[in-house]
Amino acid sequence: MASILALIALRAFLVAVFLGVGRLSLPVPVLSVAAALLLGGALFPTLRNITRGLLHRTIDPALPVVITIAILIGIRAFSTAGIFVLILLFGDLIKNIINRKIRESLERLTVYLPHTGFIKEGGAVKEIPLADIKVGDIVAVSPGARVPVDGTLLAQHALFDESVITGESKPIAKRAGDTIPAGAINMSDYVELSAARTSEHSAIAEIRKLVEDAEKKKAPLAKFIDRYAFWTVTVVGILSVGVFLFTHSIDRALALWIAMVPVIFALIGPIAISIGITAAARIGILVKNTEAVENLTKLRKLVFDKTGTLTTGHPQVKEVVPYGTPALAERDLLALAAALEERSEHRLGKAIIARAKDLGITYPSPENVHVIEGEGIEGAASGASVVVGNLGLMRDREIRLDPGIEQDLRNRAVIGETPVLVAVNGKLAGGIFMADRPRPETPEAIRELKGLHYELAMLTGDETAVGLRIAEEVGLAPGDVKAELKPEDKVRLIQEMERTEKVAMVGDGINDAPALSGATVGIAMGMGGTDLATNAASIVLVKEDFRDIPVIMRQSRFIIRVIKENLVAATAIHVVAGALAVIGAITVVQSAFFHEASSVLVLMNTARLFSISRNGSSVRTGSVPAASA
Ligand code: ADP
Ligand code: MG
């Protein structure tokens, strides 16, 4: 901050020297050279940007202003030129302060990472540079220290402050096997993690990289604003020449030109976007694609995947029921299912394995495993051919179900139990009944989204009765449920909806990747183990909190509203000042004042985006607590 002030003071000093020199009665050529040198020095950063722009064949928005100053020097209006530059410096000051704040809030995303990590090797713990930590290394984390790289918790239980990613500094309970992000603070005793990613690919590093990349891309409304600015420059240029020819007053013509050149317009979109998406990233909402921000404000329909989105995605085994004769033991059923699911990424599969392990069941290793997306998995284990999956898969494989069993499945579906059926050697052997609870925050967030007048729908591959049950629990209408869909059905449904209106799809980023990329805006719940960069969604809710959906909806509206407000306010000031200039009511200097006033107003209004609104209350996204180590 001090350096910004010092630089602006130095530039203002050059102008002051020039204004002093102007008071001396010196010959005009001397004054002209002094003006070019001193005012040029004061405008050095601007001139540098303009030159760089021209080298890349782009026109810096400040070019018209610099040309104006050159004209003022040319017509020997020296003090006007000097005062104009002073006024510009004030706008530069505000711009620099805001730019610095944007950079700082982005840097805060990674600045708290430690530079080294403690690795356990052959019983000894040694400290090594962050970049040298390899996947699979055992990382030792002392109480109060920050986690150096994303890792999997090896201790049974531990508490971590993940504010580096979530913006919320409350301790979160973690269990063995959970992923802990780099930058999280260990709030419990000494723990060990197994490094899951290298430092370069830690979630927090990826988030920062993606936010930086997103900011570089074209901001929302950019095309409109660019065209608007182009036409304003053209029209105002012609008008100014016209005013000069008509009134023979170069002062009026220049005053009009200065009042109306749309310099600030080039910044309206990018600054709002930078501040808005960095604020969102600070609370764990990652916008990878800035177009999504504008699109979110244009669409009225939100489609949710059920598993892992509306629900926790951590299903529990409720009951294991052998159906066959002779009946297999429950343990043997679980063992066969777990054997195959070992090869599946599906959440149901993971839950079955967890239950088998809890019960101390050892299961054989499978052969010829084949995953049927959205239906189940088949293969061979212990010399038997095994099919594990839903009713549809059993029908496809022509596995017979007694009417009594079908009735049992229906009864269980009504109370929200999803069947995972197990067939052995072509005969139904049993069912593993799973239940996945809605996320505790889902009903509240659904109410909020309804309050924002979104039309909502649920897509699921699960049984219709299970889908209806979850819908009722979270507050969706039965008519909003589309169930028993295969992954390709979900994609097709999204495409059909997209034919008539834009939709946003919220899903889990792994199973739902095709549907996410088919929607106008894809929103992924959680990082889902995949690389953020390759994640199909344009928005990633890093902390898997359903309430972040209304938050990003509001934030998008806020960003676009600020942009529109700025367009209207800046235009209004320009038009009023332009009119005053034409009738000769304001001088060139006063016009320059209006010009800067509109810029400063725009910047100040945009700075409101530094705080983000969450559930109606606004959260400053500035500070991150320091770790004690
Ligand atoms: P959702 O739409 O709820 O995310 P999916 O499309 O992933 O569900 O799967 C649809 C259904 O297919 C599941 O409810 C389950 O019955 C069955 N299924 C899919 N994969 C598996 C698997 N690996 N093991 C058992 N059942 C599975
Ligand atoms: Mg799913």
Side-chain angles (χ1 to χ4, degrees), residues 98-183:
I98 286 190
N99 271 333
R100 162 68 69 95
K101 278 192 76 179
I102 293 174
R103 240 192 350 262
E104 273 174 359
S105 86
L106 190 61
E107 268 160 17
R108 270 196 209 103
L109 288 172
T110 44
V111 81
Y112 291 95
L113 288 187
H115 297 294
T116 58
F118 293 88
I119 300 301
K120 213 169 148 187
E121 243 177 28
V125 172
K126 62 174 192 178
E127 186 170 6
I128 64 171
L130 205 55
D132 292 352
I133 303 178
K134 295 184 300 294
V135 172
D137 279 351
I138 304 299
V139 180
V141 187
S142 325
R146 283 192 191 262
V147 174
V149 295
D150 291 3
T152 314
L153 184 61
L154 296 175
Q156 279 313 312
H157 299 279
L159 291 174
F160 285 90
D161 168 344
E162 298 190 343
S163 56
V164 66
I165 276 190
T166 62
E168 267 170 61
S169 50
K170 60 167 198 277
I172 303 171
K174 295 287 182 174
R175 289 175 304 185
D178 285 348
T179 305
I180 317 292

Side-chain angles (χ1 to χ4, degrees), residues 305 307 341 344 346 348 374-376 389-390 418 420 460-462 490:
D305 174 59
T307 311
E341 297 287 9
S344 145
H346 205 275
L348 289 175
E375 290 187 283
N390 61 10
T418 302
V420 172
T460 179
D462 208 337
K490 293 184 186 176

Side-chain angles (χ1 to χ4, degrees), residues 500-514:
T500 50
E501 62 178 325
K502 290 181 190 242
V503 300
M505 161 89 198
V506 194
D508 71 9
I510 314 173
N511 283 300
D512 306 316

